[in-house]
Amino acid sequence: MKKLLNSLLFVLIGLASFAQDPDASQLHETAKQFMRGGDWNNAILVLNKALAKEPQNISIQKDLALTYYYQRDFAKARETVKPLVEREDADVPTYQIAGNIYKALVERKDAERMYKKALKKYPNSGPLYAEYGELLWMMNENSTSIEQWELGIKNDPAYAGNYYFAARYYYFTTDKVWALVYGEIFVNMESYTSRTAEVKNLLLDSYKKFFVVDPKTKSGKPEKESEFTKAFTAVMNQNSSVINSGITTETLTMLRTRFLLDWNKDHAAKFPFRLFEHQKQLLQEGMFEAYNQWIFEAAGDLAKYESWTKLNTEQYNEFTRFQKSKLFKVPAGQYYKSTN
């Protein structure tokens, strides 16, 4: 009998231990699992229980605001995030969440004030510049939106988003140099997304437009061209005879090969540039044709590109391995858009 009582006592102690309340971090992790599964109601329930244990935990509060946002309860999301952006420990993701909530509520002036405050605190945050520029674009303030994207490129050159927005912006202006430059940087930074396919099409069309527009207006107002822009345009123009029969992947490969040779001879020392260094490496290692096929043929004629990959399997596989293994980053100090 005594042995049986001892066994029951052991079982009861075990059950009591199992039934102990989880702490805030355990609840937070459980809530994240619900968030990953899109179960917003359960995520909110568990996050609120976690906050009852740690009311000032900003990580839990951010996830609660984000969950309300995903649930499309924007009023609750705003109520949750508003105090967070006033906190000293508010980080970049906090401001990003708040910006998305304000934009969803079409409270653009509040969002603008918030982004200005955030960028004063984090002046080197590429994501904040990208999202603030996108907000300004939504407000039809196009000239100020590109200012933010340019600041993002200058202050956080390793972040891809600002190149994406800037390339799209310049595509619709007379300044086609920077649609080409920023677009190609972007597809090397973000190589396998829906945005990549979009920008590849933009690049192909931008090369066509580059040689249709009068050289004096290719890059917008000539008096505001930077020295880099002038050099880029001059080297392109001096090799333009190779595309007299039309712009195809083959003629673009020839044009860009000649451009690289002349650029490296005349301008590389003055304007060290990661994109052109990357192209030079591909040229030297015999992958430049595959690279141009990947950008331009894939955009212009996907069936033809697939045919090329089958006929050039070894070259295609070598380039694909290289492309997936490298990390393309633009270093600081290679910003040449400014006219200064």
Side-chain angles (χ1 to χ4, degrees), residues 184 200 204 207 248-257 260 279 282-283 287-300 305 308 315 319:
E184 192 166 347
K200 284 181 180 181
L204 179 58
Y207 267 103
T248 64
T249 301
E250 290 74 21
T251 59
L252 279 173
T253 302
M254 291 172 59
L255 170 72
R256 284 153 56 83
T257 299
L260 274 178
Q279 293 173 349
L282 290 166
L283 185 62
M287 292 184 281
F288 197 54
E289 181 187 3
Y291 173 66
N292 283 280
Q293 286 282 335
W294 174 72
I295 295 176
F296 301 111
E297 201 70 84
Y305 175 63
W308 182 90
Q315 190 180 162
F319 168 72

PDB file of all heavy atoms in Angstrom, residues 184 200 204 207 248-257 260 279 282-283 287-300 305 308 315 319:
ATOM      1  N   GLU A 184      20.808  46.566 -62.935  1.00  0.00           N
ATOM      2  CA  GLU A 184      21.716  45.419 -62.976  1.00  0.00           C
ATOM      3  C   GLU A 184      22.311  45.110 -61.607  1.00  0.00           C
ATOM      4  O   GLU A 184      22.528  43.943 -61.264  1.00  0.00           O
ATOM      5  CB  GLU A 184      22.821  45.644 -64.006  1.00  0.00           C
ATOM      6  CG  GLU A 184      23.609  44.390 -64.293  1.00  0.00           C
ATOM      7  CD  GLU A 184      24.475  44.484 -65.533  1.00  0.00           C
ATOM      8  OE1 GLU A 184      24.303  45.429 -66.336  1.00  0.00           O
ATOM      9  OE2 GLU A 184      25.343  43.599 -65.699  1.00  0.00           O
ATOM     10  N   LYS A 200      14.718  42.479 -65.038  1.00  0.00           N
ATOM     11  CA  LYS A 200      15.373  42.005 -66.262  1.00  0.00           C
ATOM     12  C   LYS A 200      14.666  42.570 -67.491  1.00  0.00           C
ATOM     13  O   LYS A 200      15.315  42.999 -68.452  1.00  0.00           O
ATOM     14  CB  LYS A 200      15.373  40.475 -66.307  1.00  0.00           C
ATOM     15  CG  LYS A 200      16.386  39.813 -65.393  1.00  0.00           C
ATOM     16  CD  LYS A 200      16.300  38.298 -65.567  1.00  0.00           C
ATOM     17  CE  LYS A 200      17.287  37.568 -64.686  1.00  0.00           C
ATOM     18  NZ  LYS A 200      17.208  36.099 -64.870  1.00  0.00           N
ATOM     19  N   LEU A 204      16.354  45.138 -70.381  1.00  0.00           N
ATOM     20  CA  LEU A 204      16.340  44.926 -71.830  1.00  0.00           C
ATOM     21  C   LEU A 204      15.704  46.116 -72.535  1.00  0.00           C
ATOM     22  O   LEU A 204      16.240  46.635 -73.524  1.00  0.00           O
ATOM     23  CB  LEU A 204      15.583  43.641 -72.154  1.00  0.00           C
ATOM     24  CG  LEU A 204      15.457  43.294 -73.639  1.00  0.00           C
ATOM     25  CD1 LEU A 204      16.829  43.160 -74.291  1.00  0.00           C
ATOM     26  CD2 LEU A 204      14.643  42.013 -73.815  1.00  0.00           C
ATOM     27  N   TYR A 207      17.967  49.314 -72.455  1.00  0.00           N
ATOM     28  CA  TYR A 207      19.036  49.354 -73.455  1.00  0.00           C
ATOM     29  C   TYR A 207      18.485  49.800 -74.811  1.00  0.00           C
ATOM     30  O   TYR A 207      19.130  50.554 -75.546  1.00  0.00           O
ATOM     31  CB  TYR A 207      19.722  47.994 -73.579  1.00  0.00           C
ATOM     32  CG  TYR A 207      20.932  47.872 -72.680  1.00  0.00           C
ATOM     33  CD1 TYR A 207      20.885  47.148 -71.497  1.00  0.00           C
ATOM     34  CD2 TYR A 207      22.130  48.497 -73.017  1.00  0.00           C
ATOM     35  CE1 TYR A 207      21.988  47.037 -70.666  1.00  0.00           C
ATOM     36  CE2 TYR A 207      23.255  48.405 -72.194  1.00  0.00           C
ATOM     37  CZ  TYR A 207      23.178  47.673 -71.021  1.00  0.00           C
ATOM     38  OH  TYR A 207      24.276  47.593 -70.200  1.00  0.00           O
ATOM     39  N   THR A 248      19.916  42.673 -79.546  1.00  0.00           N
ATOM     40  CA  THR A 248      19.625  41.290 -79.181  1.00  0.00           C
ATOM     41  C   THR A 248      20.573  40.905 -78.050  1.00  0.00           C
ATOM     42  O   THR A 248      21.494  41.664 -77.707  1.00  0.00           O
ATOM     43  CB  THR A 248      19.862  40.347 -80.373  1.00  0.00           C
ATOM     44  OG1 THR A 248      21.270  40.386 -80.716  1.00  0.00           O
ATOM     45  CG2 THR A 248      19.036  40.768 -81.587  1.00  0.00           C
ATOM     46  N   THR A 249      20.387  39.734 -77.511  1.00  0.00           N
ATOM     47  CA  THR A 249      21.312  39.278 -76.467  1.00  0.00           C
ATOM     48  C   THR A 249      22.735  39.193 -77.003  1.00  0.00           C
ATOM     49  O   THR A 249      23.694  39.570 -76.315  1.00  0.00           O
ATOM     50  CB  THR A 249      20.873  37.904 -75.921  1.00  0.00           C
ATOM     51  OG1 THR A 249      19.548  38.024 -75.400  1.00  0.00           O
ATOM     52  CG2 THR A 249      21.797  37.423 -74.822  1.00  0.00           C
ATOM     53  N   GLU A 250      22.872  38.750 -78.234  1.00  0.00           N
ATOM     54  CA  GLU A 250      24.204  38.611 -78.826  1.00  0.00           C
ATOM     55  C   GLU A 250      24.867  39.974 -79.014  1.00  0.00           C
ATOM     56  O   GLU A 250      26.054  40.154 -78.676  1.00  0.00           O
ATOM     57  CB  GLU A 250      24.106  37.875 -80.165  1.00  0.00           C
ATOM     58  CG  GLU A 250      23.752  36.401 -80.055  1.00  0.00           C
ATOM     59  CD  GLU A 250      22.280  36.156 -79.702  1.00  0.00           C
ATOM     60  OE1 GLU A 250      21.447  37.073 -79.930  1.00  0.00           O
ATOM     61  OE2 GLU A 250      21.975  35.067 -79.185  1.00  0.00           O
ATOM     62  N   THR A 251      24.125  40.953 -79.561  1.00  0.00           N
ATOM     63  CA  THR A 251      24.740  42.267 -79.777  1.00  0.00           C
ATOM     64  C   THR A 251      24.979  42.993 -78.457  1.00  0.00           C
ATOM     65  O   THR A 251      25.964  43.729 -78.319  1.00  0.00           O
ATOM     66  CB  THR A 251      23.871  43.134 -80.715  1.00  0.00           C
ATOM     67  OG1 THR A 251      22.561  43.303 -80.159  1.00  0.00           O
ATOM     68  CG2 THR A 251      23.762  42.525 -82.095  1.00  0.00           C
ATOM     69  N   LEU A 252      24.109  42.766 -77.474  1.00  0.00           N
ATOM     70  CA  LEU A 252      24.334  43.365 -76.157  1.00  0.00           C
ATOM     71  C   LEU A 252      25.575  42.771 -75.496  1.00  0.00           C
ATOM     72  O   LEU A 252      26.333  43.480 -74.828  1.00  0.00           O
ATOM     73  CB  LEU A 252      23.115  43.164 -75.258  1.00  0.00           C
ATOM     74  CG  LEU A 252      21.951  44.130 -75.465  1.00  0.00           C
ATOM     75  CD1 LEU A 252      20.750  43.719 -74.622  1.00  0.00           C
ATOM     76  CD2 LEU A 252      22.359  45.570 -75.134  1.00  0.00           C
ATOM     77  N   THR A 253      25.799  41.481 -75.672  1.00  0.00           N
ATOM     78  CA  THR A 253      26.993  40.853 -75.117  1.00  0.00           C
ATOM     79  C   THR A 253      28.245  41.465 -75.743  1.00  0.00           C
ATOM     80  O   THR A 253      29.225  41.762 -75.042  1.00  0.00           O
ATOM     81  CB  THR A 253      26.970  39.328 -75.358  1.00  0.00           C
ATOM     82  OG1 THR A 253      25.779  38.789 -74.761  1.00  0.00           O
ATOM     83  CG2 THR A 253      28.185  38.650 -74.746  1.00  0.00           C
ATOM     84  N   MET A 254      28.213  41.677 -77.064  1.00  0.00           N
ATOM     85  CA  MET A 254      29.346  42.316 -77.749  1.00  0.00           C
ATOM     86  C   MET A 254      29.537  43.752 -77.252  1.00  0.00           C
ATOM     87  O   MET A 254      30.656  44.174 -76.952  1.00  0.00           O
ATOM     88  CB  MET A 254      29.110  42.314 -79.259  1.00  0.00           C
ATOM     89  CG  MET A 254      29.176  40.944 -79.905  1.00  0.00           C
ATOM     90  SD  MET A 254      28.665  40.997 -81.656  1.00  0.00           S
ATOM     91  CE  MET A 254      29.865  42.155 -82.318  1.00  0.00           C
ATOM     92  N   LEU A 255      28.440  44.495 -77.178  1.00  0.00           N
ATOM     93  CA  LEU A 255      28.501  45.896 -76.726  1.00  0.00           C
ATOM     94  C   LEU A 255      29.081  45.981 -75.326  1.00  0.00           C
ATOM     95  O   LEU A 255      29.990  46.790 -75.049  1.00  0.00           O
ATOM     96  CB  LEU A 255      27.105  46.509 -76.752  1.00  0.00           C
ATOM     97  CG  LEU A 255      26.946  47.885 -76.081  1.00  0.00           C
ATOM     98  CD1 LEU A 255      27.598  48.965 -76.928  1.00  0.00           C
ATOM     99  CD2 LEU A 255      25.469  48.212 -75.848  1.00  0.00           C
ATOM    100  N   ARG A 256      28.588  45.157 -74.434  1.00  0.00           N
ATOM    101  CA  ARG A 256      28.989  45.224 -73.032  1.00  0.00           C
ATOM    102  C   ARG A 256      30.424  44.707 -72.844  1.00  0.00           C
ATOM    103  O   ARG A 256      31.123  45.143 -71.939  1.00  0.00           O
ATOM    104  CB  ARG A 256      27.981  44.458 -72.179  1.00  0.00           C
ATOM    105  CG  ARG A 256      26.688  45.236 -71.998  1.00  0.00           C
ATOM    106  CD  ARG A 256      25.463  44.338 -71.748  1.00  0.00           C
ATOM    107  NE  ARG A 256      25.603  43.451 -70.639  1.00  0.00           N
ATOM    108  CZ  ARG A 256      25.391  43.767 -69.366  1.00  0.00           C
ATOM    109  NH1 ARG A 256      25.016  44.996 -69.045  1.00  0.00           N
ATOM    110  NH2 ARG A 256      25.506  42.857 -68.408  1.00  0.00           N
ATOM    111  N   THR A 257      30.863  43.793 -73.704  1.00  0.00           N
ATOM    112  CA  THR A 257      32.255  43.347 -73.653  1.00  0.00           C
ATOM    113  C   THR A 257      33.183  44.491 -74.040  1.00  0.00           C
ATOM    114  O   THR A 257      34.184  44.763 -73.360  1.00  0.00           O
ATOM    115  CB  THR A 257      32.471  42.152 -74.602  1.00  0.00           C
ATOM    116  OG1 THR A 257      31.633  41.069 -74.179  1.00  0.00           O
ATOM    117  CG2 THR A 257      33.925  41.701 -74.590  1.00  0.00           C
ATOM    118  N   LEU A 260      33.310  47.131 -71.322  1.00  0.00           N
ATOM    119  CA  LEU A 260      34.174  46.753 -70.194  1.00  0.00           C
ATOM    120  C   LEU A 260      35.641  46.983 -70.514  1.00  0.00           C
ATOM    121  O   LEU A 260      36.400  47.491 -69.669  1.00  0.00           O
ATOM    122  CB  LEU A 260      33.955  45.279 -69.844  1.00  0.00           C
ATOM    123  CG  LEU A 260      32.812  44.940 -68.893  1.00  0.00           C
ATOM    124  CD1 LEU A 260      32.730  43.436 -68.708  1.00  0.00           C
ATOM    125  CD2 LEU A 260      32.987  45.637 -67.556  1.00  0.00           C
ATOM    126  N   GLN A 279      31.407  42.101 -63.605  1.00  0.00           N
ATOM    127  CA  GLN A 279      31.329  41.786 -65.030  1.00  0.00           C
ATOM    128  C   GLN A 279      32.695  41.364 -65.570  1.00  0.00           C
ATOM    129  O   GLN A 279      32.804  40.422 -66.368  1.00  0.00           O
ATOM    130  CB  GLN A 279      30.813  42.999 -65.801  1.00  0.00           C
ATOM    131  CG  GLN A 279      29.362  43.359 -65.502  1.00  0.00           C
ATOM    132  CD  GLN A 279      28.953  44.657 -66.168  1.00  0.00           C
ATOM    133  OE1 GLN A 279      29.782  45.399 -66.692  1.00  0.00           O
ATOM    134  NE2 GLN A 279      27.662  44.953 -66.139  1.00  0.00           N
ATOM    135  N   LEU A 282      33.438  37.823 -64.616  1.00  0.00           N
ATOM    136  CA  LEU A 282      32.674  36.887 -65.443  1.00  0.00           C
ATOM    137  C   LEU A 282      33.282  36.773 -66.836  1.00  0.00           C
ATOM    138  O   LEU A 282      33.356  35.674 -67.407  1.00  0.00           O
ATOM    139  CB  LEU A 282      31.218  37.358 -65.545  1.00  0.00           C
ATOM    140  CG  LEU A 282      30.387  37.252 -64.266  1.00  0.00           C
ATOM    141  CD1 LEU A 282      29.094  38.047 -64.395  1.00  0.00           C
ATOM    142  CD2 LEU A 282      30.071  35.795 -63.958  1.00  0.00           C
ATOM    143  N   LEU A 283      33.735  37.893 -67.374  1.00  0.00           N
ATOM    144  CA  LEU A 283      34.367  37.888 -68.692  1.00  0.00           C
ATOM    145  C   LEU A 283      35.663  37.078 -68.674  1.00  0.00           C
ATOM    146  O   LEU A 283      35.911  36.242 -69.555  1.00  0.00           O
ATOM    147  CB  LEU A 283      34.641  39.329 -69.129  1.00  0.00           C
ATOM    148  CG  LEU A 283      35.185  39.547 -70.545  1.00  0.00           C
ATOM    149  CD1 LEU A 283      34.189  39.066 -71.580  1.00  0.00           C
ATOM    150  CD2 LEU A 283      35.509  41.034 -70.764  1.00  0.00           C
ATOM    151  N   MET A 287      32.285  33.310 -68.367  1.00  0.00           N
ATOM    152  CA  MET A 287      30.865  33.188 -68.028  1.00  0.00           C
ATOM    153  C   MET A 287      30.038  34.410 -68.438  1.00  0.00           C
ATOM    154  O   MET A 287      28.867  34.509 -68.114  1.00  0.00           O
ATOM    155  CB  MET A 287      30.712  32.966 -66.511  1.00  0.00           C
ATOM    156  CG  MET A 287      31.218  31.628 -66.029  1.00  0.00           C
ATOM    157  SD  MET A 287      30.918  31.358 -64.262  1.00  0.00           S
ATOM    158  CE  MET A 287      32.253  32.308 -63.544  1.00  0.00           C
ATOM    159  N   PHE A 288      30.667  35.324 -69.162  1.00  0.00           N
ATOM    160  CA  PHE A 288      29.970  36.572 -69.478  1.00  0.00           C
ATOM    161  C   PHE A 288      28.814  36.347 -70.453  1.00  0.00           C
ATOM    162  O   PHE A 288      27.759  36.972 -70.337  1.00  0.00           O
ATOM    163  CB  PHE A 288      30.949  37.605 -70.033  1.00  0.00           C
ATOM    164  CG  PHE A 288      30.420  39.015 -70.012  1.00  0.00           C
ATOM    165  CD1 PHE A 288      29.931  39.582 -68.837  1.00  0.00           C
ATOM    166  CD2 PHE A 288      30.406  39.793 -71.164  1.00  0.00           C
ATOM    167  CE1 PHE A 288      29.440  40.888 -68.811  1.00  0.00           C
ATOM    168  CE2 PHE A 288      29.931  41.097 -71.148  1.00  0.00           C
ATOM    169  CZ  PHE A 288      29.440  41.642 -69.969  1.00  0.00           C
ATOM    170  N   GLU A 289      29.003  35.442 -71.403  1.00  0.00           N
ATOM    171  CA  GLU A 289      27.901  35.133 -72.328  1.00  0.00           C
ATOM    172  C   GLU A 289      26.718  34.540 -71.572  1.00  0.00           C
ATOM    173  O   GLU A 289      25.566  34.933 -71.785  1.00  0.00           O
ATOM    174  CB  GLU A 289      28.364  34.150 -73.410  1.00  0.00           C
ATOM    175  CG  GLU A 289      27.248  33.823 -74.406  1.00  0.00           C
ATOM    176  CD  GLU A 289      27.621  32.727 -75.396  1.00  0.00           C
ATOM    177  OE1 GLU A 289      28.726  32.166 -75.285  1.00  0.00           O
ATOM    178  OE2 GLU A 289      26.776  32.425 -76.271  1.00  0.00           O
ATOM    179  N   ALA A 290      26.988  33.606 -70.663  1.00  0.00           N
ATOM    180  CA  ALA A 290      25.913  32.982 -69.883  1.00  0.00           C
ATOM    181  C   ALA A 290      25.205  34.024 -69.016  1.00  0.00           C
ATOM    182  O   ALA A 290      23.972  33.990 -68.854  1.00  0.00           O
ATOM    183  CB  ALA A 290      26.478  31.865 -69.009  1.00  0.00           C
ATOM    184  N   TYR A 291      25.970  34.941 -68.476  1.00  0.00           N
ATOM    185  CA  TYR A 291      25.411  36.014 -67.644  1.00  0.00           C
ATOM    186  C   TYR A 291      24.464  36.890 -68.460  1.00  0.00           C
ATOM    187  O   TYR A 291      23.350  37.208 -68.020  1.00  0.00           O
ATOM    188  CB  TYR A 291      26.569  36.833 -67.085  1.00  0.00           C
ATOM    189  CG  TYR A 291      26.202  38.088 -66.323  1.00  0.00           C
ATOM    190  CD1 TYR A 291      25.510  38.024 -65.112  1.00  0.00           C
ATOM    191  CD2 TYR A 291      26.590  39.337 -66.794  1.00  0.00           C
ATOM    192  CE1 TYR A 291      25.204  39.177 -64.401  1.00  0.00           C
ATOM    193  CE2 TYR A 291      26.310  40.497 -66.086  1.00  0.00           C
ATOM    194  CZ  TYR A 291      25.601  40.408 -64.884  1.00  0.00           C
ATOM    195  OH  TYR A 291      25.306  41.558 -64.186  1.00  0.00           O
ATOM    196  N   ASN A 292      24.877  37.267 -69.656  1.00  0.00           N
ATOM    197  CA  ASN A 292      24.022  38.092 -70.503  1.00  0.00           C
ATOM    198  C   ASN A 292      22.796  37.324 -70.988  1.00  0.00           C
ATOM    199  O   ASN A 292      21.713  37.887 -71.102  1.00  0.00           O
ATOM    200  CB  ASN A 292      24.827  38.632 -71.692  1.00  0.00           C
ATOM    201  CG  ASN A 292      25.728  39.782 -71.289  1.00  0.00           C
ATOM    202  OD1 ASN A 292      25.288  40.910 -71.164  1.00  0.00           O
ATOM    203  ND2 ASN A 292      27.001  39.493 -71.070  1.00  0.00           N
ATOM    204  N   GLN A 293      22.960  36.040 -71.240  1.00  0.00           N
ATOM    205  CA  GLN A 293      21.808  35.200 -71.576  1.00  0.00           C
ATOM    206  C   GLN A 293      20.815  35.172 -70.418  1.00  0.00           C
ATOM    207  O   GLN A 293      19.605  35.282 -70.614  1.00  0.00           O
ATOM    208  CB  GLN A 293      22.275  33.774 -71.906  1.00  0.00           C
ATOM    209  CG  GLN A 293      22.955  33.613 -73.249  1.00  0.00           C
ATOM    210  CD  GLN A 293      21.971  33.577 -74.403  1.00  0.00           C
ATOM    211  OE1 GLN A 293      20.804  33.224 -74.234  1.00  0.00           O
ATOM    212  NE2 GLN A 293      22.440  33.945 -75.585  1.00  0.00           N
ATOM    213  N   TRP A 294      21.348  35.020 -69.207  1.00  0.00           N
ATOM    214  CA  TRP A 294      20.505  34.954 -67.999  1.00  0.00           C
ATOM    215  C   TRP A 294      19.697  36.239 -67.806  1.00  0.00           C
ATOM    216  O   TRP A 294      18.546  36.193 -67.378  1.00  0.00           O
ATOM    217  CB  TRP A 294      21.407  34.697 -66.791  1.00  0.00           C
ATOM    218  CG  TRP A 294      20.727  34.736 -65.466  1.00  0.00           C
ATOM    219  CD1 TRP A 294      19.864  33.803 -64.953  1.00  0.00           C
ATOM    220  CD2 TRP A 294      20.852  35.757 -64.468  1.00  0.00           C
ATOM    221  NE1 TRP A 294      19.447  34.185 -63.694  1.00  0.00           N
ATOM    222  CE2 TRP A 294      20.040  35.380 -63.370  1.00  0.00           C
ATOM    223  CE3 TRP A 294      21.583  36.950 -64.404  1.00  0.00           C
ATOM    224  CZ2 TRP A 294      19.924  36.158 -62.220  1.00  0.00           C
ATOM    225  CZ3 TRP A 294      21.468  37.725 -63.251  1.00  0.00           C
ATOM    226  CH2 TRP A 294      20.650  37.327 -62.181  1.00  0.00           C
ATOM    227  N   ILE A 295      20.299  37.385 -68.132  1.00  0.00           N
ATOM    228  CA  ILE A 295      19.571  38.648 -67.973  1.00  0.00           C
ATOM    229  C   ILE A 295      18.652  38.910 -69.166  1.00  0.00           C
ATOM    230  O   ILE A 295      17.434  39.058 -69.010  1.00  0.00           O
ATOM    231  CB  ILE A 295      20.544  39.840 -67.814  1.00  0.00           C
ATOM    232  CG1 ILE A 295      21.343  39.722 -66.524  1.00  0.00           C
ATOM    233  CG2 ILE A 295      19.759  41.164 -67.812  1.00  0.00           C
ATOM    234  CD1 ILE A 295      22.393  40.814 -66.355  1.00  0.00           C
ATOM    235  N   PHE A 296      19.220  38.941 -70.373  1.00  0.00           N
ATOM    236  CA  PHE A 296      18.497  39.507 -71.512  1.00  0.00           C
ATOM    237  C   PHE A 296      17.678  38.484 -72.302  1.00  0.00           C
ATOM    238  O   PHE A 296      16.548  38.778 -72.691  1.00  0.00           O
ATOM    239  CB  PHE A 296      19.483  40.228 -72.441  1.00  0.00           C
ATOM    240  CG  PHE A 296      20.230  41.333 -71.752  1.00  0.00           C
ATOM    241  CD1 PHE A 296      21.593  41.224 -71.509  1.00  0.00           C
ATOM    242  CD2 PHE A 296      19.573  42.474 -71.315  1.00  0.00           C
ATOM    243  CE1 PHE A 296      22.285  42.243 -70.856  1.00  0.00           C
ATOM    244  CE2 PHE A 296      20.255  43.496 -70.656  1.00  0.00           C
ATOM    245  CZ  PHE A 296      21.611  43.370 -70.436  1.00  0.00           C
ATOM    246  N   GLU A 297      18.231  37.296 -72.542  1.00  0.00           N
ATOM    247  CA  GLU A 297      17.453  36.311 -73.289  1.00  0.00           C
ATOM    248  C   GLU A 297      16.299  35.788 -72.453  1.00  0.00           C
ATOM    249  O   GLU A 297      15.201  35.567 -72.963  1.00  0.00           O
ATOM    250  CB  GLU A 297      18.348  35.154 -73.738  1.00  0.00           C
ATOM    251  CG  GLU A 297      17.767  34.369 -74.903  1.00  0.00           C
ATOM    252  CD  GLU A 297      17.778  35.192 -76.194  1.00  0.00           C
ATOM    253  OE1 GLU A 297      18.816  35.223 -76.878  1.00  0.00           O
ATOM    254  OE2 GLU A 297      16.738  35.812 -76.502  1.00  0.00           O
ATOM    255  N   ALA A 298      16.557  35.625 -71.150  1.00  0.00           N
ATOM    256  CA  ALA A 298      15.478  35.165 -70.262  1.00  0.00           C
ATOM    257  C   ALA A 298      14.341  36.171 -70.227  1.00  0.00           C
ATOM    258  O   ALA A 298      13.175  35.806 -70.054  1.00  0.00           O
ATOM    259  CB  ALA A 298      16.025  34.936 -68.849  1.00  0.00           C
ATOM    260  N   ALA A 299      14.675  37.456 -70.409  1.00  0.00           N
ATOM    261  CA  ALA A 299      13.645  38.494 -70.429  1.00  0.00           C
ATOM    262  C   ALA A 299      12.979  38.602 -71.796  1.00  0.00           C
ATOM    263  O   ALA A 299      11.758  38.775 -71.898  1.00  0.00           O
ATOM    264  CB  ALA A 299      14.260  39.843 -70.052  1.00  0.00           C
ATOM    265  N   GLY A 300      13.778  38.487 -72.875  1.00  0.00           N
ATOM    266  CA  GLY A 300      13.242  38.737 -74.208  1.00  0.00           C
ATOM    267  C   GLY A 300      12.544  37.548 -74.831  1.00  0.00           C
ATOM    268  O   GLY A 300      11.526  37.706 -75.510  1.00  0.00           O
ATOM    269  N   TYR A 305      15.927  31.174 -74.542  1.00  0.00           N
ATOM    270  CA  TYR A 305      16.888  31.038 -73.444  1.00  0.00           C
ATOM    271  C   TYR A 305      16.984  29.580 -72.991  1.00  0.00           C
ATOM    272  O   TYR A 305      18.082  29.055 -72.783  1.00  0.00           O
ATOM    273  CB  TYR A 305      16.481  31.923 -72.270  1.00  0.00           C
ATOM    274  CG  TYR A 305      17.350  31.747 -71.041  1.00  0.00           C
ATOM    275  CD1 TYR A 305      18.702  32.047 -71.071  1.00  0.00           C
ATOM    276  CD2 TYR A 305      16.805  31.264 -69.852  1.00  0.00           C
ATOM    277  CE1 TYR A 305      19.512  31.875 -69.960  1.00  0.00           C
ATOM    278  CE2 TYR A 305      17.602  31.092 -68.719  1.00  0.00           C
ATOM    279  CZ  TYR A 305      18.950  31.399 -68.781  1.00  0.00           C
ATOM    280  OH  TYR A 305      19.742  31.221 -67.674  1.00  0.00           O
ATOM    281  N   TRP A 308      19.009  27.745 -75.392  1.00  0.00           N
ATOM    282  CA  TRP A 308      20.436  28.043 -75.223  1.00  0.00           C
ATOM    283  C   TRP A 308      21.022  27.243 -74.064  1.00  0.00           C
ATOM    284  O   TRP A 308      22.134  26.710 -74.170  1.00  0.00           O
ATOM    285  CB  TRP A 308      20.635  29.543 -74.986  1.00  0.00           C
ATOM    286  CG  TRP A 308      22.078  29.934 -74.857  1.00  0.00           C
ATOM    287  CD1 TRP A 308      22.925  30.316 -75.861  1.00  0.00           C
ATOM    288  CD2 TRP A 308      22.853  29.940 -73.654  1.00  0.00           C
ATOM    289  NE1 TRP A 308      24.189  30.565 -75.368  1.00  0.00           N
ATOM    290  CE2 TRP A 308      24.174  30.343 -74.016  1.00  0.00           C
ATOM    291  CE3 TRP A 308      22.579  29.658 -72.323  1.00  0.00           C
ATOM    292  CZ2 TRP A 308      25.204  30.464 -73.081  1.00  0.00           C
ATOM    293  CZ3 TRP A 308      23.599  29.764 -71.385  1.00  0.00           C
ATOM    294  CH2 TRP A 308      24.901  30.167 -71.754  1.00  0.00           C
ATOM    295  N   GLN A 315      28.384  25.471 -69.739  1.00  0.00           N
ATOM    296  CA  GLN A 315      28.529  26.897 -69.464  1.00  0.00           C
ATOM    297  C   GLN A 315      27.409  27.401 -68.559  1.00  0.00           C
ATOM    298  O   GLN A 315      27.645  28.164 -67.613  1.00  0.00           O
ATOM    299  CB  GLN A 315      28.532  27.683 -70.786  1.00  0.00           C
ATOM    300  CG  GLN A 315      28.925  29.138 -70.633  1.00  0.00           C
ATOM    301  CD  GLN A 315      28.927  29.883 -71.957  1.00  0.00           C
ATOM    302  OE1 GLN A 315      28.887  31.116 -71.959  1.00  0.00           O
ATOM    303  NE2 GLN A 315      28.953  29.176 -73.075  1.00  0.00           N
ATOM    304  N   PHE A 319      27.909  28.828 -64.668  1.00  0.00           N
ATOM    305  CA  PHE A 319      27.441  30.154 -64.266  1.00  0.00           C
ATOM    306  C   PHE A 319      26.414  30.061 -63.140  1.00  0.00           C
ATOM    307  O   PHE A 319      26.465  30.836 -62.181  1.00  0.00           O
ATOM    308  CB  PHE A 319      26.823  30.895 -65.454  1.00  0.00           C
ATOM    309  CG  PHE A 319      26.076  32.136 -65.053  1.00  0.00           C
ATOM    310  CD1 PHE A 319      26.765  33.266 -64.615  1.00  0.00           C
ATOM    311  CD2 PHE A 319      24.686  32.174 -65.061  1.00  0.00           C
ATOM    312  CE1 PHE A 319      26.083  34.410 -64.213  1.00  0.00           C
ATOM    313  CE2 PHE A 319      23.996  33.310 -64.657  1.00  0.00           C
ATOM    314  CZ  PHE A 319      24.698  34.424 -64.241  1.00  0.00           C
TER     315      PHE A 319
END
